[in-house]
Amino acid sequence: MTAEGASNAALRARAVELLRANWNGRSTRASRTLYPHQWSWDSACVARALSHGEQERAEGELTSLFAGQWANGMLPHIRFAPGPMPYFPGPEIWGTASLPEAPITPLTSGIVQPPIHASALRHLLERGEDQERACAFAARLYPAVLAWHRYLHEERSRPGSELVEIWHPWESGMDNSPLWDAALERVPPARATAGYRRTDLEVAGAEERPTDWQYDRYLSLVEVLREVGYEPARSRAATPFAVRDVLFNVLLAEADRDLVAIAALVGADPRPVLAWAAGLEEAIHAEMWAPAAGSYENVDVLTGERVEVATLAGTTPLLLAGLPGDRAERLLATLGRFQVRPGGELLALASVPPGSPSFDPVRYWRGPVWPMLTLVLAEGLRRRGQGELALRLEAGLLGLIRRSGFWEHFHPETGQGQGGADMSWTAAIAVEMLDHEAVPA
Ligand code: 9WN
């Protein structure tokens, strides 16, 4: 084995070990300290990584997450672990326990996260060593994943657009991205949830987390949605925050395509999903492309305006199969604004362009390098024939992890690890990238 190979193998072993350490016997905690529960899109990433060699656990991960699914198809962003845990806001703030749509157990939150579960399931079908078992599992989970997509397409859209909308910044997975700044200005601070204690600040540096001003708005939005029992029609009418987000819609379109492929394998009728996928992709291209910016932009549903803020998420339509060729070129050029060299030599992508007004290299989704976004962009680049750049970005992220550990995010200039330590999805993404093909050490 070459020195490079050995070092990649050692890194993979450390990632696998971390995923074991974060496993609670039934599923994987997003992290043991900062996030001691099961998070929706983190968990889908973990299932993807586990499907490389730990098929049974990959199934367990998804089964555990979908046990929290609501009767209307909604897949909550957190499945809470039993017992008191140091995470705020916990189940008592969400107040979902007695709602008719929510399961009796487990306890869950009342909002969603980006829908990458069908993509994880497809991955499991492709990578699972025991193919018969993988097919049987996919057939069992298919109705639940279909109900999840139906919830998003039918309950999260309004007449006039096939795009789906989010009602909370946490639903985007990119909590304090500058994408939400203007919309949050219109949200009054929390009323009922006064005097709360932020457990995140006991584990991560305050400068690496959202501000108290933002937390007041996050909780205010939870209050609004809790007040209407998270019921979709009433939430749509009541929410002061409704945004059609590029990343969320792109990942749903991608997951729709994966669900179509799964339908074919498990003998289900793919037509409704095909129709959702086609309508959604068309709407993304028609309603979100911003030619002057060379990027895709969010739409604020309540003002009807585009959110003219540059973030890496705006380039993620690179992933979409039907992307018109000239736009691919524009997006690739735009991507150049996000390229950074943390620590001097590694290549990485900042989440917000360095030098732009909202750029902050330490504060969470306002500049740092994020493994999840790197994974999405690397896949998108491969689809556009940019395999070499994709590999360099993967090698860059793996280099950052190798240097400082499985951190939540990384400083785009120094490469220092930030936010939460020993994060499951950072380990999962490392496994995924290391298994992808020969990644230079
Ligand atoms: C709120 C678990 C999650 C990720 C999100 C990330 C962060 C939670 C928080 O952690 O959000 O959902 O408390 O900050 O922004 O993407 O899924 O890792």
Side-chain angles (χ1 to χ4, degrees):
M1 193 185 279
T2 62
E4 258 177 24
S7 118
N8 280 347
L11 186 62
R12 190 185 193 285
R14 279 173 51 209
V16 167
E17 196 185 309
L18 174 58
L19 288 174
R20 286 215 181 102
N22 288 357
W23 174 256
N24 68 9
R26 186 198 50 237
S27 64
T28 309
R29 292 164 282 192
S31 89
R32 271 166 296 163
T33 49
L34 191 53
Y35 311 110
H37 302 285
Q38 189 177 18
W39 256 262
S40 172
W41 75 329
D42 302 52
S43 195
C45 272
V46 169
R48 230 176 113 152
L50 291 175
S51 68
H52 305 208
E54 302 206 56
Q55 194 172 341
E56 205 176 322
R57 240 172 83 204
E59 289 176 10
E61 186 72 31
L62 290 174
T63 304
S64 160
L65 188 69
F66 275 89
Q69 186 173 32
W70 289 23
N72 62 4
M74 200 267 285
L75 187 66
H77 95 301
I78 304 175
R79 175 199 160 139
F80 289 109
M85 290 280 172
Y87 177 76
F88 178 84
E92 64 294 342
I93 300 292
W94 291 97
T96 60
S98 56
L99 295 175
E101 295 287 317
I104 295 168
T105 59
L107 290 173
T108 72
S109 70
I111 60 169
V112 302
Q113 263 190 337
I116 56 173
H117 314 85
S119 305
L121 184 59
R122 180 174 187 188
H123 206 81
L124 178 57
L125 264 168
E126 276 168 9
R127 303 295 287 262
E129 277 151 19
D130 182 343
Q131 277 296 301
E132 205 178 310
R133 183 186 171 116
C135 271
F137 177 70
R140 276 201 309 282
L141 198 65
Y142 184 84
V145 186
L146 181 69
W148 165 221
H149 283 224
R150 172 166 290 122
Y151 165 85
L152 290 170
H153 286 285
E154 292 182 356
E155 304 291 9
R156 291 306 189 102
S157 60
R158 302 188 195 218
S161 178
E162 310 253 331
L163 296 173
V164 304
E165 61 192 56
I166 56 170
W167 297 328
H168 197 297
W170 283 336
E171 296 202 307
S172 71
M174 303 179 291
D175 311 5
N176 71 339
S177 165
L179 290 171
W180 327 120
D181 289 358
L184 281 182
E185 286 288 348
R186 299 194 306 271
V187 175
R191 283 172 299 122
T193 328
Y196 56 89
R197 188 170 64 90
R198 285 181 59 179
T199 50
D200 60 318
L201 300 183
E202 289 158 24
V203 185
E207 66 291 351
E208 295 167 12
R209 295 286 304 167
T211 61
D212 286 341
W213 185 93
Q214 285 156 345
Y215 256 76
D216 280 347
R217 269 85 200 157
Y218 298 160
L219 291 163
S220 167
L221 289 171
V222 172
E223 287 173 4
V224 170
L225 297 171
R226 186 181 62 201
E227 186 72 28
V228 295
Y230 306 95
E231 201 278 312
R234 294 175 67 204
S235 300
R236 214 178 298 126
T239 182
F241 180 100
V243 179
R244 298 182 179 132
D245 175 51
V246 174
L247 179 64
F248 197 102
N249 279 278
V250 164
L251 294 178
L252 177 59
E254 173 74 1
D256 279 338
R257 294 285 174 197
D258 288 326
L259 197 54
V260 168
I262 299 168
L265 286 170
V266 304
D269 177 5
R271 282 172 299 184
V273 193
L274 263 174
W276 288 331
L280 183 56
E281 278 170 30
E282 202 183 312
I284 292 172
H285 295 311
E287 296 169 44
M288 297 181 134
W289 173 240
S295 184
Y296 282 70
E297 284 177 352
N298 285 0
V299 180
D300 188 316
V301 181
L302 302 180
T303 60
E305 281 167 14
R306 284 284 184 75
V307 181
E308 293 175 0
V309 173
T311 72
L312 187 57
T315 65
T316 56
L318 279 170
L319 204 58
L320 297 179
L323 182 70
D326 52 330
R327 290 196 192 170
E329 270 168 43
R330 296 289 312 281
L331 287 176
L332 289 172
T334 301
L335 207 55
R337 291 183 64 198
F338 296 86
Q339 289 189 10
V340 285
R341 297 218 164 249
E345 74 291 3
L346 299 170
L347 185 68
L349 294 170
S351 43
V352 169
S356 69
S358 34
F359 176 71
D360 181 335
V362 293
R363 207 179 277 284
Y364 217 35
W365 290 94
R366 302 180 80 89
V369 175
W370 278 84
M372 182 64 196
L373 289 179
T374 310
L375 180 76
V376 172
L377 264 311
E379 284 185 10
L381 284 168
R382 282 203 173 84
R383 293 198 187 157
R384 312 266 75 95
Q386 300 286 323
E388 206 178 305
L389 179 55
L391 261 186
R392 281 172 62 214
L393 289 170
E394 289 178 340
L397 180 69
L398 291 168
L400 293 174
I401 296 173
R402 196 176 273 121
R403 277 183 196 168
S404 55
F406 298 97
W407 285 91
E408 190 176 22
H409 49 88
F410 298 86
H411 193 293
E413 288 144 10
T414 66
Q416 195 182 322
Q418 304 180 138
D422 294 336
M423 294 290 301
S424 295
W425 66 346
T426 304
I429 290 166
V431 168
E432 184 71 28
M433 289 179 174
L434 286 164
D435 287 358
H436 192 262
E437 53 187 284
V439 187

